[in-house]
Amino acid sequence: MDPQWRFSLSELRETPSCLPLEEEMSRRHKGIDWLMRVGATLRMGLGPCLTAATYFHRFYMRRMLEDYHEYEIAATCLFLASKTEENGKRLEDLVIVALAKIRSIPPNQVAGSYDAEAKRWENVILTYEEVLLEVLCFDFNIHYPHAFLADIASSLESSRQRSGPLVECIWSVAHDSYRTPLCVLESPQVIAAACLLFAQSLIDGPEGPSLTQRLEVQQHGEPNWRQILGITENDLQSIAIALTVLCQFYRSCAHKDPSKPDVTPYKLIEPPTLDLEVPQLFKPVSSSSTTNGIKSFVQSTNGSKTPADPLGTVPSTPFPLPPVSPSPMQSQSPTSPLSGQA
């Protein structure tokens, strides 16, 4: 991981945005969620969506949210990622899907009804692409924790110990890590280790070892994750920070939807009890806050009557993933416990 793209917690507290840190992280979360939904509708695949999410977080470490709306930057990041990941999508198609999400209408109803707004989106994306390239310093080298988790998954499957549910949970947590700023705080290996330990705690339940115990002692019968991931003693504090961020994130998911699984098991996992100074990054997110965000965005762009929330309710409840394919970075859709339907 290039040192220029790894930021400290103190740098995260001092991003260019003038918003409170919790509000900035909430808007990043909504931006990434919207990005994933648009990418899924475009069938971009997991890799390009994770690349776009990484671009998104890197961008806001150097530019203000007040100057660049998260949905417009999310669309720009998807457009650039479709090029750098050789998953080319036409700008016209991207704009159609983006407008369909904003307007809560089928994509085939966009053409002819919102031509002026579509033209504005195309101009915005092309203009912001130049800004994004400048911010990224034309550095398109992205590494995912998923690549390291594939080795863990192979070890779990060979040991035949609860591999199915655990592997699915690991991938789910890894996807959700992009709704946090972890990709600009820690290395992919550290994030992979944190996702593994969090998933193990979730599968084992409250009777299992705590995250602190898992960090300090290798559990009997488990694959040697430190050796597989190349983790040293010096990395343990970074893993503890990543676990704390994940715990904060899941505890902020305040969505209540009786038709979806309960998020309580995620919230019950206690962060590591180490001497860490991790700022509070997330506040509870409700469906009304996202709806209000969509409304203010639409009203600020054209002043027209606001449609119903195109994202439905905030997808803040975990969902099981489909079985992981042999090549998850290429074939698996960008689904996560919090993504809901695209």
Side-chain angles (χ1 to χ4, degrees):
M1 184 176 182
D2 192 321
Q4 73 165 323
W5 299 122
R6 184 171 180 180
F7 298 86
S8 65
L9 289 172
S10 61
E11 289 174 311
L12 187 65
R13 293 187 184 99
E14 300 172 359
T15 61
S17 299
C18 298
L19 301 171
L21 184 57
E22 289 183 352
E23 183 177 349
E24 178 179 350
M25 293 303 110
S26 175
R27 287 183 60 177
R28 287 200 198 188
H29 172 196
K30 289 186 288 186
I32 293 296
D33 187 70
W34 190 83
L35 179 156
M36 293 292 187
R37 290 171 183 265
V38 173
T41 303
L42 287 167
R43 301 183 182 276
M44 291 184 64
L46 180 60
C49 287
L50 298 185
T51 294
T54 305
Y55 292 164
F56 181 92
H57 282 294
R58 290 181 178 183
F59 181 86
Y60 284 117
M61 294 305 295
R62 294 180 173 176
R63 291 294 185 272
M64 298 175 65
L65 259 166
E66 297 91 328
D67 293 340
Y68 301 92
H69 195 279
E70 58 267 29
Y71 295 146
E72 293 173 339
I73 292 301
T76 306
C77 290
L78 279 172
F79 186 54
L80 180 59
S82 75
K83 300 177 183 179
T84 60
E85 296 295 312
E86 298 183 356
N87 185 268
K89 299 296 179 183
R90 296 193 310 163
L91 178 59
E92 178 184 357
D93 294 336
L94 173 58
V95 168
I96 287 175
V97 172
L99 277 177
K101 297 295 183 185
I102 292 295
R103 292 292 172 183
S104 189
I105 59 176
N108 59 11
Q109 294 183 13
V110 173
S113 301
Y114 298 96
D115 289 346
E117 191 172 355
K119 187 63 176 178
R120 188 196 73 82
W121 269 84
E122 290 179 4
N123 291 334
V124 165
I125 291 173
L126 291 175
T127 300
Y128 283 0
E129 184 181 29
E130 296 182 5
V131 181
L132 178 61
L133 288 168
E134 179 183 353
V135 169
L136 296 177
C137 304
F138 291 84
D139 182 357
F140 309 130
N141 191 21
I142 303 294
H143 298 284
Y144 316 111
H146 300 63
F148 298 94
L149 288 171
D151 296 330
I152 292 290
S154 298
S155 299
L156 289 170
E157 289 168 355
S158 63
S159 67
R160 298 183 181 276
Q161 294 183 355
R162 13 165 240 167
S163 62
L166 180 56
V167 169
E168 291 178 6
C169 190
I170 291 171
W171 289 117
S172 299
V173 177
H175 296 350
D176 280 336
S177 72
Y178 283 86
R179 289 170 166 82
T180 78
L182 280 178
C183 64
V184 293
L185 294 178
E186 305 295 349
S187 68
Q189 295 95 321
V190 165
I191 298 172
C195 293
L196 169 65
L197 297 182
F198 190 96
Q200 287 176 337
S201 293
L202 189 62
I203 294 295
D204 289 344
E207 303 302 321
S210 68
L211 288 178
T212 303
Q213 292 171 326
R214 294 178 189 278
L215 270 174
E216 294 175 346
V217 180
Q218 176 69 37
Q219 302 303 310
H220 177 70
E222 297 288 354
N224 190 335
W225 57 271
R226 293 192 191 186
Q227 181 178 357
I228 294 173
L229 297 175
I231 296 296
T232 67
E233 290 292 326
N234 295 332
D235 296 317
L236 295 184
Q237 185 174 14
S238 294
I239 296 173
I241 291 174
L243 286 167
T244 301
V245 171
L246 287 172
C247 288
Q248 285 188 13
F249 171 71
Y250 284 117
R251 290 184 176 191
S252 75
C253 299
H255 177 54
K256 298 178 181 179
D257 187 340
S259 68
K260 298 174 182 177
D262 188 10
V263 74
T264 302
Y266 285 70
K267 294 184 176 184
L268 292 178
I269 298 179
E270 293 291 334
T273 56
L274 303 179
D275 187 16
L276 304 173
E277 295 184 3
V278 181
Q280 187 65 36
L281 300 181
F282 297 97
K283 59 184 178 181
V285 179
S286 65
S287 59
S288 60
S289 66
T290 297
T291 302
N292 291 336
I294 292 284
K295 287 180 178 179
S296 62
F297 174 66
V298 175
Q299 290 170 346
S300 67
T301 54
N302 60 12
S304 62
K305 183 179 180 181
T306 305
D309 178 12
L311 304 185
T313 52
V314 175
S316 301
T317 313
F319 290 93
L321 282 173
V324 178
S325 62
S327 301
M329 295 309 298
Q330 296 297 326
S331 58
Q332 188 176 343
S333 62
T335 314
S336 79
L338 306 185
S339 64
Q341 297 297 319

